Amino acid sequence: MPPTITAFANAPDRGRGLARDMGVRWALEEVGQPYDVRLLSFSEMKQASHRALHPFGQIPTYEDGGVVLFESGAIVLHIAERHAGLLPDEPEGRARAIAWMFAALSSLEPPVLDLTIAVIVERNEAWYEQRLPRVKDRIRERLRDLSVRLGNADWLDGAFSAGDLMMITVLRRLKASGLLDEYPNLPAYVARGEARPAFRRAFDAQLAVFAAASRN
Amino acid sequence: MPPTITAFANAPDRGRGLARDMGVRWALEEVGQPYDVRLLSFSEMKQASHRALHPFGQIPTYEDGGVVLFESGAIVLHIAERHAGLLPDEPEGRARAIAWMFAALSSLEPPVLDLTIAVIVERNEAWYEQRLPRVKDRIRERLRDLSVRLGNADWLDGAFSAGDLMMITVLRRLKASGLLDEYPNLPAYVARGEARPAFRRAFDAQLAVFAAASRN
């Protein structure tokens, strides 16, 4: 039995691959692990049967025999620990790749999420335009440092790793904002990730879910 | 040579143990690993020599022989993987404990951080009082789910783990807000963490830094 993940039956991003199943799908494709997907409506996500798997009633989850996990970062790490291809064998490089995973989720994603929430929830407030530049500046602070560290390298620390996978997954959420384009090596970095065959297969799989839902 | 971590020479929390070295100190104390601390001023944190260790110019970092790490989550995981006491031996429980570490940093901390930033940066804005309830409601949504999952248990998943350590480290930042008290099992959970001798040693060590700095 392949592992089963959960994903949105109707992704709010309309198939742009910005939901949190995307990183998990990408990791599974990178290591060549087939998987099943169970699609959930928004109301199903909040039911007790799903909350038993995910205490916050969200996607994705990961079930593989006796292993039941939530949090995309934890799921990607679990996959990376059990298959070759996403973490260096050498212990110091492995620890650094994991540090970049945490950096993506703890240092980059919070200000990115803040912008997403502001755009959705605060757009019609009188103070939206006043607050927005500060939200964007907090993102720029991180992007500038990330851009400096990446420099002319293809990936953050040697070969492509789960750290790059998580970082690119987070950075893709900024595309519509135009902020990435202020640091030219960052859109190029994201494009290198998106050009990987495993990314493409993962992207197409989630897009197919959206396309099928749109036909119904 | 024991590992060396970095911490604020002048912590902005005035010794309340809310800076990000706290979780790392606590983990080191739980496993009985002595450590050295290099204190950094705010300007030293932004210098090239420190950015070589931490691309975002922050604390903590962790140096142990050839291993150089940043991100408190990654450092705590690294410590937990190399010493007994913070992760179950059994693989499924180990993966779940790591999932709780990611949950603390990815699902709980972003709204908590949003409140911290609002209180510091937006307090004097005309719309501060209007926006605040929404920020708090996003935290409440997570606290309610966490409270339900914890129930009457002492810890999130069996014995105390690195997942509890990270979660309690994040929840402590909410003490001043009063939000924790709306979910009575959560302050009790935090108090259980704070009652651990390893927590107390870590707390006292960071408080001693603040006390010494205050005397100068």
Side-chain angles (χ1 to χ4, degrees):
Chain A
M1 288 265 293
T4 298
I5 68 169
T6 50
F8 288 124
N10 287 284
D13 72 341
R14 303 181 56 81
R16 289 185 294 153
L18 303 181
R20 286 173 193 271
D21 58 307
M22 183 63 206
V24 172
R25 289 176 184 270
W26 186 6
L28 289 162
E29 292 287 355
E30 287 283 350
V31 304
Q33 170 64 57
Y35 61 99
D36 291 332
V37 183
R38 191 169 67 250
L39 300 176
L40 298 174
S41 68
F42 293 105
S43 67
E44 285 168 337
M45 283 166 52
K46 303 303 177 187
Q47 286 169 9
S49 57
H50 184 63
R51 283 189 188 272
L53 307 182
H54 196 311
F56 303 114
Q58 298 186 317
I59 61 97
T61 55
Y62 175 92
E63 295 159 86
D64 186 12
V67 179
V68 178
L69 292 177
F70 67 109
E71 289 290 338
S72 60
I75 297 169
V76 168
L77 180 58
H78 181 82
I79 294 164
E81 284 181 328
R82 276 152 192 79
H83 300 269
L86 285 173
L87 290 174
D89 292 332
E90 174 261 312
E92 295 165 16
R94 180 183 178 281
R96 289 197 305 273
I98 293 172
W100 281 113
M101 293 185 64
F102 278 98
L105 295 166
S106 294
S107 288
L108 266 292
E109 191 168 81
V112 171
L113 191 63
D114 197 16
L115 177 62
T116 305
I117 293 171
V119 169
I120 294 171
V121 175
E122 298 173 2
R123 181 177 279 286
N124 296 319
E125 301 293 346
W127 39 268
Y128 172 72
E129 295 291 346
Q130 188 193 342
R131 183 171 177 268
L132 199 61
R134 293 184 199 159
V135 175
K136 289 186 173 177
D137 280 348
R138 280 199 295 274
I139 297 173
R140 286 187 178 102
E141 194 179 340
R142 292 284 188 260
L143 293 182
R144 188 187 59 228
D145 290 347
L146 186 70
S147 172
V148 168
R149 173 56 72 105
L150 180 63
N152 293 317
D154 279 355
W155 311 112
L156 287 168
D157 193 337
F160 177 82
S161 78
D164 296 296
L165 186 153
M166 288 309 309
M167 188 63 80
I168 291 167
T169 300
V170 171
L171 293 178
R172 291 185 67 248
R173 294 183 161 206
L174 286 174
K175 278 191 174 187
S177 73
L179 288 170
L180 277 184
D181 301 320
E182 298 177 16
Y183 309 87
N185 62 343
L186 295 184
Y189 170 61
V190 170
R192 273 191 294 280
E194 292 176 338
R196 295 177 70 85
F199 176 92
R200 184 51 49 189
R201 289 192 296 273
F203 184 88
D204 290 347
Q206 62 82 37
L207 183 60
V209 173
F210 172 72
S214 305
R215 281 194 299 273
N216 292 340
Chain B
M1 288 264 292
T4 298
I5 68 168
T6 50
F8 288 122
N10 287 284
D13 72 341
R14 302 182 56 82
R16 288 184 295 152
L18 302 181
R20 286 174 192 271
D21 57 307
M22 182 64 206
V24 172
R25 289 176 184 270
W26 187 6
L28 288 162
E29 292 287 354
E30 288 283 349
V31 304
Q33 170 64 57
Y35 60 99
D36 290 333
V37 183
R38 192 168 67 249
L39 299 176
L40 298 174
S41 67
F42 292 105
S43 68
E44 286 168 337
M45 283 166 53
K46 302 302 177 188
Q47 287 169 8
S49 57
H50 185 62
R51 283 189 187 273
L53 307 181
H54 197 311
F56 302 114
Q58 299 186 315
I59 61 96
T61 55
Y62 175 93
E63 295 160 85
D64 187 11
V67 179
V68 179
L69 292 177
F70 67 108
E71 289 290 337
S72 60
I75 298 169
V76 169
L77 180 57
H78 180 83
I79 294 163
E81 284 181 328
R82 274 150 193 82
H83 300 268
L86 285 173
L87 289 174
D89 292 332
E90 173 262 313
E92 295 164 14
R94 179 183 178 281
R96 289 197 305 274
I98 293 172
W100 281 113
M101 293 185 65
F102 279 98
L105 294 167
S106 294
S107 288
L108 266 290
E109 192 168 80
V112 171
L113 191 63
D114 196 16
L115 177 62
T116 304
I117 293 171
V119 169
I120 295 172
V121 175
E122 299 173 1
R123 180 177 280 284
N124 296 319
E125 301 293 346
W127 38 268
Y128 172 72
E129 295 292 345
Q130 187 192 343
R131 184 170 176 268
L132 199 61
R134 292 183 199 159
V135 175
K136 289 186 172 178
D137 280 349
R138 280 199 295 274
I139 297 173
R140 286 188 178 101
E141 193 179 339
R142 292 284 189 260
L143 293 182
R144 188 188 59 228
D145 290 349
L146 185 71
S147 173
V148 168
R149 173 55 73 102
L150 180 63
N152 293 317
D154 279 355
W155 310 112
L156 286 167
D157 193 338
F160 177 82
S161 78
D164 296 296
L165 187 153
M166 288 308 310
M167 188 64 80
I168 291 168
T169 299
V170 171
L171 293 178
R172 291 186 67 247
R173 294 185 162 205
L174 286 174
K175 278 191 172 185
S177 73
L179 288 170
L180 277 184
D181 301 320
E182 299 177 18
Y183 309 87
N185 61 344
L186 295 185
Y189 170 60
V190 170
R192 273 191 294 279
E194 292 175 338
R196 295 177 71 86
F199 176 93
R200 183 51 50 190
R201 289 192 296 272
F203 184 89
D204 290 347
Q206 62 81 37
L207 182 60
V209 173
F210 172 73
S214 304
R215 281 195 298 274
N216 293 339

